[in-house]
Amino acid sequence: MGTAQTSPYTPATHIFRRDLNHYSADESSQRGFSRVLNELLLTFAQWLGAQQWSVGLHESFYMYNWIETTHVLTLTVFLGMLFVIDLRMLGVALTNVPASKIAERLDLPMMIGFTVMIVTGLLLFYAIPVRTTQSVWFRLKVILLIAAGINAWIFRNRMKKAKPTWDLDPTPPKNVRVGAGLSLSLWIVIIFAGRAIAYDWFDCGKDQSAFMNWAAGCVAAAAE
Amino acid sequence: MDVMSFFTWLEGSTLGHIAKSYGGVYAVAQTVHLASMALLGGTVLVTDLRLLNVALRDVPSNAVADGAHKWFKVALAIILLSGIFMVAGVAMKAYYNDFYWAKMAALAAGILFVFAVKRPLLKRDHSQIPGWLLKLVAVASITVWFTVAACGRWIGFS
């Protein structure tokens, strides 16, 4: 990995609607279905990126930064609540409070935070769609978000079923602790993937392996 | 050693060299910083929302405040350690950045507020403390920690 393309003291935001549209990838890196899918995604991203509001949002220093700031600060509401719930489920925090009370009472603020994060996240994507679509980190983030969602659904069901037997125990059963540990780990990697989107380590157009071009979905530009 | 000399030394130190040279390591530090910020925010909000009677109303507020404070200290320690590493990589830029100093001032105020005001007060039996005072402490706490986080984010934009 090279040095950071942006430091935290440089706008990580105004990275470039640069000419990824005109990038020609190694033809062998994309074949068949994945090539068609990536071309479709790129065409959609180019269409989105050409919209006046997308350009305006990207070029508006304050608007873009306020949205990104809201996205990051809402971590404290959404992930803050989630981490407290997960730590209780691991049996290491607030052990004198029934686990179900922590989970149920913090669910609403957590979901409010989640909603704000989704809305601001979509706006951030809307502002820089072409580069983001071809970011390996963004793709990883989306996959991990789906995985975290599935884990949360399984975790919630497991918790409901087992609640009468362990709710007052300081340490929940092993399968609940495993779910909480997995949730914590997934979200920490999601934060990393989100942060890494700002770096240009594996951007299309760089001299990199066919695998990375495949993973980032680099395709020859239809716009040429 | 004055403040500027310290920042110059920090940037030239081994820590500064690692932070500057290895983007991957820097991104990991940012991730740790953000994750611990989320945890710190979670513990602050859980306590303050309870004091404001917004969340966990059927759980004794003493239990919430005591349980959350333990993890607040853990989160604060990790934030400070990862923050020192991060600033080492961009020490001179930080030195000349107004928002960096605003964040440091807010952080100092936040730490002072927690350990000199909030915690000593919340260690007592909450039923003996006037409700308005608990609510005032909660609002002040949310305000000060929001200021720290917002200034931190804005460092990157200025």
Side-chain angles (χ1 to χ4, degrees):
Chain A
M1 283 179 185
T3 51
Q5 189 275 322
T6 55
S7 82
Y9 300 93
T10 325
T13 53
H14 285 253
I15 349 189
F16 9 179
R17 278 165 186 277
R18 75 175 169 205
D19 292 326
L20 290 170
N21 296 10
H22 301 289
Y23 165 65
S24 281
D26 173 4
E27 294 286 327
S28 63
S29 67
Q30 299 289 335
R31 291 192 189 285
F33 177 72
S34 75
R35 183 180 178 83
V36 172
L37 184 64
N38 282 317
E39 278 177 356
L40 274 174
L41 286 172
L42 183 60
T43 306
F44 173 69
Q46 284 167 336
W47 170 78
L48 211 58
Q51 290 190 7
Q52 198 182 342
W53 280 44
S54 170
V55 177
L57 193 55
H58 180 75
E59 290 179 354
S60 159
F61 178 77
Y62 284 104
M63 196 61 197
Y64 188 93
N65 287 352
W66 274 117
I67 292 169
E68 198 179 48
T69 301
T70 306
H71 190 69
V72 175
L73 294 196
T74 313
L75 273 176
T76 57
V77 182
F78 167 57
L79 279 189
M81 296 297 145
L82 187 84
F83 283 177
V84 170
I85 295 170
D86 284 344
L87 290 175
R88 173 62 186 91
M89 296 304 164
L90 283 170
V92 294
L94 293 159
T95 46
N96 52 351
V97 181
S100 66
K101 271 197 183 170
I102 296 288
E104 288 163 13
R105 305 294 185 272
L106 298 184
D107 195 51
L108 181 65
M110 183 177 76
M111 291 317 289
I112 291 171
F114 182 70
T115 307
V116 175
M117 292 211 77
I118 290 289
V119 171
T120 49
L122 286 172
L123 286 170
L124 291 175
F125 176 81
Y126 180 59
I128 311 177
V130 173
R131 180 179 184 271
T132 313
T133 299
Q134 295 191 321
S135 160
V136 68
W137 299 110
F138 176 73
R139 290 168 174 236
L140 179 67
K141 186 174 180 179
V142 171
I143 292 167
L144 291 172
L145 280 170
I146 294 168
I150 293 169
N151 182 56
W153 183 72
I154 295 170
F155 184 65
R156 197 176 277 224
N157 286 344
R158 199 181 281 167
M159 205 175 72
K160 272 184 193 163
K161 271 186 201 162
K163 184 174 137 184
T165 58
W166 61 270
D167 199 25
L168 298 171
D169 295 348
T171 307
K174 194 177 174 186
N175 63 353
V176 173
R177 281 183 281 138
V178 168
L182 194 58
S183 164
L184 273 174
S185 312
L186 277 169
W187 281 105
I188 289 170
V189 183
I190 288 169
I191 295 175
F192 178 81
R195 187 55 267 197
I197 293 170
Y199 291 80
D200 70 346
W201 300 323
F202 303 117
D203 273 8
C204 294
K206 293 198 117 183
D207 186 17
Q208 59 190 2
S209 68
F211 173 76
M212 288 317 300
N213 276 334
W214 171 81
C218 307
V219 290
E224 283 186 304
Chain B
M1 189 186 271
D2 62 16
V3 178
M4 190 177 176
S5 307
F6 173 74
F7 274 70
T8 310
W9 168 81
L10 187 62
E11 189 154 341
S13 68
T14 308
L15 206 61
H17 174 71
I18 294 170
K20 212 186 273 288
S21 308
Y22 301 99
V25 178
Y26 201 89
V28 169
Q30 287 178 319
T31 304
V32 171
H33 200 69
L34 283 173
S36 38
M37 178 197 82
L39 179 59
L40 183 137
T43 59
V44 167
L45 278 177
V46 162
T47 307
D48 295 341
L49 292 178
R50 174 63 191 91
L51 295 178
L52 290 168
N53 277 329
V54 174
L56 292 162
R57 277 177 292 192
D58 51 354
V59 179
S61 58
N62 271 104
V64 176
D66 293 349
H69 186 65
K70 286 176 194 158
W71 284 94
F72 169 87
K73 286 187 286 187
V74 173
L76 183 65
I78 302 172
I79 283 179
L80 292 176
L81 288 174
S82 53
I84 290 168
F85 176 79
M86 284 164 63
V87 80
V90 285
M92 290 319 292
K93 274 188 184 173
Y95 180 80
Y96 287 111
N97 188 304
D98 290 341
F99 281 98
Y100 173 75
W101 292 110
K103 180 183 177 178
M104 290 305 109
L107 178 64
I111 293 172
L112 199 66
F113 174 74
V114 168
F115 291 101
V117 179
K118 189 180 179 187
R119 193 59 202 147
L121 182 77
L122 296 186
K123 262 193 217 167
R124 292 159 48 189
D125 181 356
H126 294 190
S127 62
Q128 305 299 313
I129 304 169
W132 64 267
L133 186 56
L134 290 175
K135 288 184 173 61
L136 185 67
V137 164
V139 171
S141 166
I142 290 174
T143 307
V144 74
W145 290 111
F146 172 78
T147 308
V148 176
C151 288
R153 187 70 279 258
W154 213 262
I155 292 171
F157 301 139
S158 53

